[in-house]
């Protein structure tokens, strides 16, 4: 049988394979609520403009609400033959209310319909991310507050570099997720335009009111170019981009949690709620949630590349290729939601092992820079020379397999005669972090200032 929507021109229906490649209903039914919202707004506008009668509009809106109830109750029969959510809904509307249903699609095409539905969906999802990211940032702020003065080793090249505080390290993630949050808000502001009324691509001769539908659907304004309205998917690309960046941040955090929770590091202990055991090795506690977060980042990055690749060769305006935008975005959104929730849980629940962190902070000659800085400040040496003198002290300590603070004053004076007793003050990790008072530095007071800044900034939203 030919299609009930465009059967006029067609003598027979599609081949089975055609239906299989063409139908999007299996995934775009996700858009049902947005589709119905958009249709109700469109019908109200058509009635107000005198394009359809008030009576038909009432029947249409009532029918659409019935359909929404059927979908939510699980009694709606989705049909692949009807391709997508738009035609599934319209076809059911015709069954429910008869010929008036056929007036709904006046001055509209599926091209602007799908564009408005998808924008509404992405806009809602950005709102969910906004909340989820705030939750994650708050979890970090809580840990940073508890551990503003907890000393741990800071790393470069994953080699011990200089002592920092765990609170400071947490605040690095607050900055990263804070930028993710601002990207979410920027994207939301940019997509806040309604394409409804662009029709197929050229606009319409009916006297529609696009500002009315834009406002009814909660958009700031209508889009200004009908061709762009149905061609543009950069709101989806932007969504995937910010998702990929955020996922990359989560993945680095996940990697650190994996490292920190090894017995070799022992910086944190995972809660039972966010780890798993081994079926053979009784001693094991594995950071599976972190590992999966790290792995799922690959999926999100893949979705971004997939949609960029779909879009890169498309002439304006709509091409069916664009139907491939949805699975990428839906899956990225669902995956990222889960990743943020899992990492928020892990960060809130992990037990910080202060002693192990402090022990590690003191090893690996982490205060060598402090010694060099002291030589500059106390003895007036040029930094390059101070670096050299310190290097000799480290070599001596290393040959004896001890820390810098275990060298005697005589040892140090043999390397440089000007060194005095006062040097031993700067060799402790506590004094090292306390001395890093530059703006944004790791001194506990600076860390507390940054925490206060973020608490205020989040509240201001
Ligand atoms: N299912 C289609 C999509 O997701 C809806 C738009 C179809 N438009 C068209 N002219 N065939 O893109």
């Amino acid at each position: 049988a030919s299609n009930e929507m465009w059967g006029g021109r067609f003598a027979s229906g599609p081949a089975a394979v055609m239906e299989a490649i063409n139908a999007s209903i299996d995934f775009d039914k996700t858009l049902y609520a947005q589709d119905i919202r958009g249709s109700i707004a469109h019908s109200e506008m058509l009635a107000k403009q005198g394009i359809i009668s008030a009576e038909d509009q009432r029947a249409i809106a009532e029918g659409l609400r019935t359909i929404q109830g059927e979908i939510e109750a699980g009694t709606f029969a989705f049909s692949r033959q009807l391709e997508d959510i738009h035609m599934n809904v319209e076809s059911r509307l015709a069954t429910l209310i008869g010929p008036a249903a056929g007036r709904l699609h006046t001055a509209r095409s599926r091209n602007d319909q799908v564009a408005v539905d998808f924008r509404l969906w992405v806009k809602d999802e950005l709102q969910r991310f906004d909340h989820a990211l705030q939750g994650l940032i708050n979890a970090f702020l809580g840990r940073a507050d508890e551990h503003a003065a907890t000393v741990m080793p800071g790393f470069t090249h994953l080699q011990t570099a200089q002592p920092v505080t765990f609170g400071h390290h947490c605040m690095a993630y607050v900055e990263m997720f804070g930028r993710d949050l601002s990207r979410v808000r920027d994207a939301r502001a940019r997509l806040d335009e309604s394409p409804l009324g662009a029709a197929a691509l050229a606009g319409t001769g009916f006297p529609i009111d696009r500002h009315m539908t834009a406002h009814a659907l909660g958009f700031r304004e209508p889009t200004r170019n009908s061709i762009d309205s149905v061609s543009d998917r950069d709101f989806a690309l932007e969504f995937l981009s910010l998702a990929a960046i955020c996922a990359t941040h989560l993945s680095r955090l996940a990697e650190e949690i994996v490292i920190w929770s090894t017995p070799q590091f022992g910086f944190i202990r995972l809660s039972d709620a966010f780890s798993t055991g081994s079926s053979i090795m009784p001693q094991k506690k594995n950071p599976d949630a972190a590992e999966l977060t790290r792995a799922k980042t690959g999926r999100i990055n893949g979705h971004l590349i997939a949609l960029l690749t779909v879009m890169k060769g498309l002439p304006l305006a709509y091409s069916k290729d664009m139907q491939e935008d949805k699975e990428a975005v839906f899956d990225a959104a669902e995956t990222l939601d889960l990743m943020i929730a899992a990492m928020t849980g892990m960060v809130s629940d992990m037990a910080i092992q202060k002693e192990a962190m402090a022990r590690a902070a003191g090893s690996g000659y982490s205060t060598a820079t402090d010694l060099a800085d002291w030589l500059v400040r106390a003895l007036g040496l040029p930094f390059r020379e101070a670096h050299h003198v310190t290097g000799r002290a480290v070599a001596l300590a290393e040959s004896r397999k001890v820390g810098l603070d275990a060298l005697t004053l005589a040892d140090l004076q043999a390397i440089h005669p000007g060194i005095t007793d006062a040097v031993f003050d700067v060799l402790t990790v506590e004094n090292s972090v306390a001395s890093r008072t530059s703006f944004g530095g790791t001194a506990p007071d600076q860390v507390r200032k940054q925490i206060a800044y973020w608490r205020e900034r989040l509240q201001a939203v």
Side-chain angles (χ1 to χ4, degrees):
S2 67
N3 186 292
E4 64 181 90
M5 295 290 160
W6 53 67
R9 196 192 185 291
F10 285 70
S12 70
V17 174
M18 177 59 200
E19 193 176 292
I21 195 171
N22 198 36
S24 54
I25 187 62
D26 292 344
F27 51 86
D28 69 17
K29 60 179 155 199
T30 303
L31 297 173
Y32 79 90
Q34 289 77 15
D35 195 67
I36 288 170
R37 227 179 119 195
S39 288
I40 291 175
H42 183 67
S43 72
E44 283 167 347
M45 182 278 293
L46 291 176
K48 196 198 120 223
Q49 297 299 100
I51 301 166
I52 64 173
S53 71
E55 200 188 335
D56 284 347
Q57 192 278 323
R58 269 195 300 277
I60 287 169
E62 202 182 308
L64 288 170
R65 285 191 198 98
T66 303
I67 292 169
Q68 176 144 4
E70 291 174 351
I71 294 175
E72 283 164 5
T75 59
F76 188 93
F78 290 104
S79 145
R80 285 209 181 128
Q81 231 179 351
L82 290 165
E83 264 190 61
D84 57 24
I85 186 65
H86 323 296
M87 295 203 292
N88 268 269
V89 169
E90 194 186 319
S91 165
R92 176 70 183 144
L93 188 63
T95 308
L96 286 175
I97 70 167
R103 299 192 186 279
L104 171 61
H105 213 54
T106 313
R108 184 177 78 170
S109 153
R110 276 189 298 156
N111 297 349
D112 58 336
Q113 190 177 355
V114 73
V116 76
D117 292 2
F118 200 26
R119 275 180 187 248
L120 285 170
W121 193 91
V122 172
K123 203 175 151 188
D124 285 350
E125 184 58 33
L126 287 171
Q127 199 53 33
R128 277 192 289 278
F129 272 171
D130 195 301
H131 288 131
L133 279 171
Q134 288 192 58
L136 177 60
I137 290 170
N138 273 317
F140 268 117
L141 287 173
R143 300 321 301 257
D145 216 2
E146 281 169 64
H147 294 285
T150 300
V151 178
M152 73 180 278
F155 299 91
T156 59
H157 314 268
L158 198 56
Q159 306 282 332
T160 304
Q162 294 175 345
V164 296
T165 71
F166 183 67
H168 193 50
H169 199 98
C170 287
M171 292 308 290
Y173 280 106
V174 167
E175 295 289 335
M176 291 150 78
F177 293 119
R179 285 191 296 275
D180 289 336
L181 186 58
S182 74
R183 268 183 283 275
V184 165
R185 290 173 185 173
D186 290 349
R188 205 160 180 271
R190 229 178 331 271
L191 76 59
D192 206 9
E193 298 176 351
S194 169
L196 190 59
L201 80 164
T204 175
F206 290 102
I208 60 171
D209 182 349
R210 294 192 56 213
H211 288 86
M212 179 180 168
T213 47
H215 293 142
L217 294 171
F219 287 105
R220 193 179 55 232
E221 58 191 339
T223 51
R224 277 169 308 279
N225 181 294
S226 62
I227 296 174
D228 175 55
S229 303
V230 297
S231 307
D232 154 51
R233 289 295 180 271
D234 52 54
F235 67 90
L237 289 171
E238 196 168 352
F239 175 86
L240 290 171
S241 308
L242 69 87
I245 295 173
C246 180
T248 299
H249 290 158
L250 290 165
S251 185
R252 297 184 73 176
L253 169 63
E255 169 69 1
E256 295 207 309
I257 287 178
V258 169
I259 293 173
W260 291 344
S261 63
T262 57
Q264 287 75 10
F265 269 75
F267 287 5
I268 58 171
R269 283 163 74 97
L270 302 174
S271 71
D272 290 352
F274 284 95
S275 50
T276 55
S278 157
S279 57
I280 174 168
M281 297 166 282
Q283 85 282 13
K284 291 274 258 178
K285 204 167 183 190
N286 293 328
D288 295 35
E291 295 171 79
L292 287 164
T293 295
R294 193 172 57 184
K296 285 175 191 295
T297 301
R299 233 162 103 171
I300 295 181
N301 291 353
H303 290 315
L304 170 61
I305 298 300
L307 188 57
L308 284 168
T309 310
V310 167
M311 296 307 295
K312 66 174 269 303
L314 295 188
L316 308 186
Y318 179 86
S319 297
K320 194 62 170 267
D321 310 50
M322 286 155 75
Q323 180 166 283
E324 288 285 309
D325 57 2
K326 288 169 210 69
E327 284 166 292
V329 167
F330 293 158
D331 185 70
E334 193 183 324
T335 304
L336 190 60
D337 275 342
L338 198 56
M339 288 162 68
I340 296 177
M343 297 317 282
T344 304
M346 288 196 101
V347 167
S348 309
D349 282 14
M350 64 192 181
I352 308 308
Q353 306 300 299
K354 283 186 169 194
E355 301 73 30
M357 282 187 178
R359 223 178 303 120
S363 72
Y365 306 101
S366 65
T367 56
T369 314
D370 298 272
L371 173 54
D373 287 350
W374 183 88
L375 293 168
V376 170
R377 260 183 284 118
L379 307 185
L381 299 193
F383 183 78
R384 275 292 150 237
E385 190 184 338
H387 186 287
H388 187 78
V389 168
T390 305
R392 290 182 55 202
V394 169
L396 177 64
E398 210 171 27
S399 72
R400 294 191 193 156
K401 297 190 168 41
V402 297
L404 277 177
D405 54 352
L407 296 177
T408 64
L409 184 58
D411 290 334
L412 291 170
Q413 284 176 339
I415 297 169
H416 194 287
I419 295 177
T420 67
D421 237 0
V423 77
F424 290 105
D425 274 351
V426 304
L427 298 182
T428 70
V429 291
E430 289 77 17
N431 289 347
S432 171
V433 297
S435 74
R436 302 280 197 259
T437 52
S438 54
F439 181 79
T442 199
D445 282 352
Q446 272 300 323
V447 174
R448 289 191 189 99
K449 274 188 191 135
Q450 305 303 338
I451 295 170
Y453 165 85
W454 273 103
R455 288 224 156 106
E456 204 171 300
R457 184 162 153 185
L458 284 183
Q459 242 144 48
V461 183

